[in-house]
Amino acid sequence: QVQVAESGGGLVQPGGSLRLSCVASGTMFSIETMNWFRQGPGKEREWVATITSDGQAALADSVKGRFTITRHNAENMAWLQMSSLSPEDTAVYYCRIRADKYYYWGQGTQVTVSS
């Protein structure tokens, strides 16, 4: 079974930074894409960022210029570096991977931006 786990969430001041990590484990040949989603209070889940196996990255307009997504293929890991955070970024952040033509979700990590 493939497992996906996020870490790095917490409480941060407005304007601050956080770095989220995602690691995939289990039996898989390759991870095609690694993705970040988030769901704020009372909101639907929204897409945040994607990175492909060859390093191509895409970001949602709401986070472009503030967030960066990276990955390390050999360790099945991805990171979401977040800066200039505002209360609107408060959400549970989820990692999703596409591995061997299947999707797998992590359990999420809470990010709270508050003064």
Side-chain angles (χ1 to χ4, degrees):
Q1 179 75 278
V2 174
Q3 303 284 344
V4 179
E6 308 94 337
S7 62
L11 176 65
V12 64
Q13 299 289 312
S17 299
L18 277 178
R19 182 173 181 259
L20 306 183
S21 299
C22 173
V23 60
S25 61
T27 302
M28 65 194 110
F29 180 73
S30 65
I31 300 175
E32 288 90 11
T33 66
M34 304 189 77
N35 313 268
W36 289 97
F37 293 78
R38 67 184 182 184
Q39 187 168 17
K43 299 180 179 180
E44 292 188 344
R45 185 175 56 197
E46 64 175 344
W47 170 77
V48 175
T50 294
I51 188 164
T52 65
S53 60
D54 61 356
Q56 293 179 282
L59 296 165
D61 288 342
S62 59
V63 304
K64 195 172 299 181
R66 300 187 298 118
F67 291 12
T68 301
I69 184 171
T70 56
R71 68 185 287 173
H72 191 296
N73 291 340
E75 297 180 355
N76 295 331
M77 294 188 68
W79 298 267
L80 185 69
Q81 179 66 52
M82 307 182 294
S83 62
S84 301
L85 288 165
S86 71
E88 288 74 28
D89 297 311
T90 295
V92 178
Y93 284 72
Y94 298 92
C95 181
R96 188 196 75 180
I97 70 168
R98 183 172 174 87
D100 303 332
K101 313 302 183 183
Y102 293 90
Y103 290 109
Y104 302 92
W105 289 88
Q107 295 299 306
T109 184
Q110 176 71 49
V111 173
T112 302
V113 185
S114 176
S115 59

Short mmCIF file of all heavy atoms in Angstrom, two decimals, residues 6-34:
data_model
loop_
_atom_site.label_atom_id
_atom_site.label_comp_id
_atom_site.label_asym_id
_atom_site.label_seq_id
_atom_site.Cartn_x
_atom_site.Cartn_y
_atom_site.Cartn_z
N GLU A 6 2.19 14.28 5.28
CA GLU A 6 2.64 15.67 5.32
C GLU A 6 3.15 16.02 6.72
O GLU A 6 2.74 15.41 7.70
CB GLU A 6 1.50 16.64 4.97
CG GLU A 6 0.76 16.33 3.68
CD GLU A 6 -0.47 15.48 3.89
OE1 GLU A 6 -0.55 14.77 4.92
OE2 GLU A 6 -1.37 15.53 3.04
N SER A 7 3.99 17.03 6.78
CA SER A 7 4.45 17.55 8.06
C SER A 7 4.90 18.99 7.87
O SER A 7 5.07 19.45 6.74
CB SER A 7 5.60 16.71 8.63
OG SER A 7 6.73 16.74 7.77
N GLY A 8 5.07 19.70 8.98
CA GLY A 8 5.60 21.05 8.94
C GLY A 8 4.60 22.15 9.22
O GLY A 8 4.99 23.32 9.29
N GLY A 9 3.33 21.81 9.39
CA GLY A 9 2.34 22.82 9.68
C GLY A 9 2.49 23.38 11.08
O GLY A 9 3.23 22.86 11.91
N GLY A 10 1.79 24.47 11.34
CA GLY A 10 1.84 25.10 12.64
C GLY A 10 1.28 26.50 12.62
O GLY A 10 0.63 26.91 11.65
N LEU A 11 1.53 27.24 13.69
CA LEU A 11 1.08 28.61 13.84
C LEU A 11 2.20 29.56 13.42
O LEU A 11 3.34 29.41 13.85
CB LEU A 11 0.68 28.88 15.29
CG LEU A 11 0.27 30.31 15.64
CD1 LEU A 11 -1.00 30.70 14.91
CD2 LEU A 11 0.10 30.43 17.15
N VAL A 12 1.86 30.54 12.59
CA VAL A 12 2.84 31.50 12.11
C VAL A 12 2.22 32.88 12.06
O VAL A 12 1.01 33.03 11.84
CB VAL A 12 3.38 31.08 10.72
CG1 VAL A 12 2.27 31.11 9.68
CG2 VAL A 12 4.54 31.96 10.30
N GLN A 13 3.03 33.90 12.29
CA GLN A 13 2.56 35.28 12.24
C GLN A 13 2.35 35.74 10.80
O GLN A 13 3.03 35.25 9.88
CB GLN A 13 3.58 36.21 12.91
CG GLN A 13 3.82 35.91 14.38
CD GLN A 13 2.63 36.29 15.23
OE1 GLN A 13 2.08 37.38 15.10
NE2 GLN A 13 2.23 35.39 16.12
N PRO A 14 1.42 36.66 10.56
CA PRO A 14 1.29 37.23 9.21
C PRO A 14 2.62 37.78 8.73
O PRO A 14 3.35 38.43 9.48
CB PRO A 14 0.25 38.33 9.39
CG PRO A 14 -0.56 37.88 10.56
CD PRO A 14 0.42 37.20 11.48
N GLY A 15 2.93 37.51 7.46
CA GLY A 15 4.21 37.89 6.90
C GLY A 15 5.31 36.88 7.09
O GLY A 15 6.38 37.02 6.49
N GLY A 16 5.04 35.85 7.88
CA GLY A 16 6.04 34.84 8.17
C GLY A 16 6.10 33.75 7.11
O GLY A 16 5.44 33.82 6.08
N SER A 17 6.90 32.73 7.41
CA SER A 17 7.15 31.64 6.47
C SER A 17 7.01 30.29 7.14
O SER A 17 7.23 30.15 8.35
CB SER A 17 8.57 31.75 5.88
OG SER A 17 8.74 32.96 5.17
N LEU A 18 6.65 29.29 6.35
CA LEU A 18 6.61 27.90 6.76
C LEU A 18 7.04 27.04 5.60
O LEU A 18 6.84 27.40 4.44
CB LEU A 18 5.21 27.48 7.21
CG LEU A 18 4.75 27.78 8.64
CD1 LEU A 18 3.32 27.30 8.82
CD2 LEU A 18 5.66 27.13 9.66
N ARG A 19 7.60 25.87 5.93
CA ARG A 19 7.99 24.91 4.92
C ARG A 19 7.30 23.58 5.22
O ARG A 19 7.54 22.98 6.27
CB ARG A 19 9.50 24.73 4.91
CG ARG A 19 10.05 23.77 3.84
CD ARG A 19 11.56 23.82 3.84
NE ARG A 19 12.17 22.94 2.85
CZ ARG A 19 12.70 21.75 3.12
NH1 ARG A 19 12.69 21.29 4.38
NH2 ARG A 19 13.24 21.02 2.16
N LEU A 20 6.45 23.14 4.31
CA LEU A 20 5.75 21.88 4.44
C LEU A 20 6.48 20.78 3.68
O LEU A 20 7.04 21.02 2.61
CB LEU A 20 4.32 21.99 3.91
CG LEU A 20 3.45 23.11 4.49
CD1 LEU A 20 2.05 23.03 3.89
CD2 LEU A 20 3.41 23.04 6.01
N SER A 21 6.45 19.57 4.24
CA SER A 21 7.09 18.42 3.62
C SER A 21 6.06 17.35 3.31
O SER A 21 5.07 17.19 4.02
CB SER A 21 8.17 17.83 4.53
OG SER A 21 9.17 18.77 4.81
N CYS A 22 6.32 16.60 2.25
CA CYS A 22 5.48 15.47 1.86
C CYS A 22 6.39 14.32 1.50
O CYS A 22 7.34 14.49 0.72
CB CYS A 22 4.59 15.84 0.67
SG CYS A 22 3.65 14.45 -0.02
N VAL A 23 6.11 13.14 2.05
CA VAL A 23 6.89 11.95 1.73
C VAL A 23 5.94 10.82 1.37
O VAL A 23 4.92 10.62 2.02
CB VAL A 23 7.83 11.54 2.88
CG1 VAL A 23 7.04 11.24 4.15
CG2 VAL A 23 8.69 10.35 2.48
N ALA A 24 6.27 10.10 0.31
CA ALA A 24 5.50 8.94 -0.12
C ALA A 24 6.31 7.68 0.13
O ALA A 24 7.52 7.64 -0.09
CB ALA A 24 5.16 9.05 -1.60
N SER A 25 5.63 6.64 0.61
CA SER A 25 6.29 5.38 0.89
C SER A 25 5.43 4.22 0.41
O SER A 25 4.23 4.38 0.17
CB SER A 25 6.59 5.22 2.39
OG SER A 25 5.39 5.25 3.14
N GLY A 26 6.04 3.05 0.29
CA GLY A 26 5.33 1.88 -0.19
C GLY A 26 5.86 1.42 -1.53
O GLY A 26 6.88 1.90 -2.01
N THR A 27 5.15 0.48 -2.11
CA THR A 27 5.58 -0.10 -3.37
C THR A 27 5.06 0.74 -4.54
O THR A 27 3.86 0.85 -4.74
CB THR A 27 5.08 -1.54 -3.50
OG1 THR A 27 5.58 -2.33 -2.41
CG2 THR A 27 5.56 -2.15 -4.81
N MET A 28 5.97 1.31 -5.28
CA MET A 28 5.63 2.08 -6.46
C MET A 28 6.84 2.15 -7.37
O MET A 28 7.97 2.13 -6.91
CB MET A 28 5.14 3.48 -6.09
CG MET A 28 6.19 4.36 -5.44
SD MET A 28 5.48 5.84 -4.67
CE MET A 28 5.71 5.41 -2.96
N PHE A 29 6.56 2.24 -8.66
CA PHE A 29 7.65 2.33 -9.62
C PHE A 29 8.11 3.76 -9.80
O PHE A 29 9.31 4.05 -9.82
CB PHE A 29 7.24 1.72 -10.96
CG PHE A 29 8.31 1.78 -12.00
CD1 PHE A 29 9.41 0.95 -11.92
CD2 PHE A 29 8.23 2.67 -13.06
CE1 PHE A 29 10.41 0.99 -12.87
CE2 PHE A 29 9.22 2.73 -14.02
CZ PHE A 29 10.32 1.88 -13.93
N SER A 30 7.15 4.68 -9.92
CA SER A 30 7.49 6.07 -10.12
C SER A 30 6.33 6.96 -9.68
O SER A 30 5.18 6.53 -9.65
CB SER A 30 7.83 6.35 -11.58
OG SER A 30 6.71 6.16 -12.42
N ILE A 31 6.67 8.19 -9.33
CA ILE A 31 5.67 9.19 -8.99
C ILE A 31 5.63 10.20 -10.13
O ILE A 31 6.60 10.91 -10.37
CB ILE A 31 6.00 9.90 -7.67
CG1 ILE A 31 6.06 8.88 -6.53
CG2 ILE A 31 4.99 10.99 -7.38
CD1 ILE A 31 6.49 9.47 -5.20
N GLU A 32 4.52 10.25 -10.83
CA GLU A 32 4.41 11.13 -11.98
C GLU A 32 4.34 12.60 -11.56
O GLU A 32 5.06 13.44 -12.10
CB GLU A 32 3.18 10.76 -12.83
CG GLU A 32 3.33 9.46 -13.61
CD GLU A 32 2.84 8.26 -12.82
OE1 GLU A 32 2.19 8.46 -11.76
OE2 GLU A 32 3.08 7.13 -13.25
N THR A 33 3.46 12.90 -10.60
CA THR A 33 3.34 14.27 -10.11
C THR A 33 3.16 14.27 -8.60
O THR A 33 2.66 13.31 -8.02
CB THR A 33 2.16 15.03 -10.74
OG1 THR A 33 0.92 14.43 -10.34
CG2 THR A 33 2.25 15.03 -12.26
N MET A 34 3.56 15.35 -7.97
CA MET A 34 3.29 15.60 -6.57
C MET A 34 2.58 16.93 -6.49
O MET A 34 2.96 17.89 -7.17
CB MET A 34 4.57 15.59 -5.74
CG MET A 34 5.35 14.29 -5.90
SD MET A 34 6.76 14.09 -4.76
CE MET A 34 5.91 13.65 -3.24
#
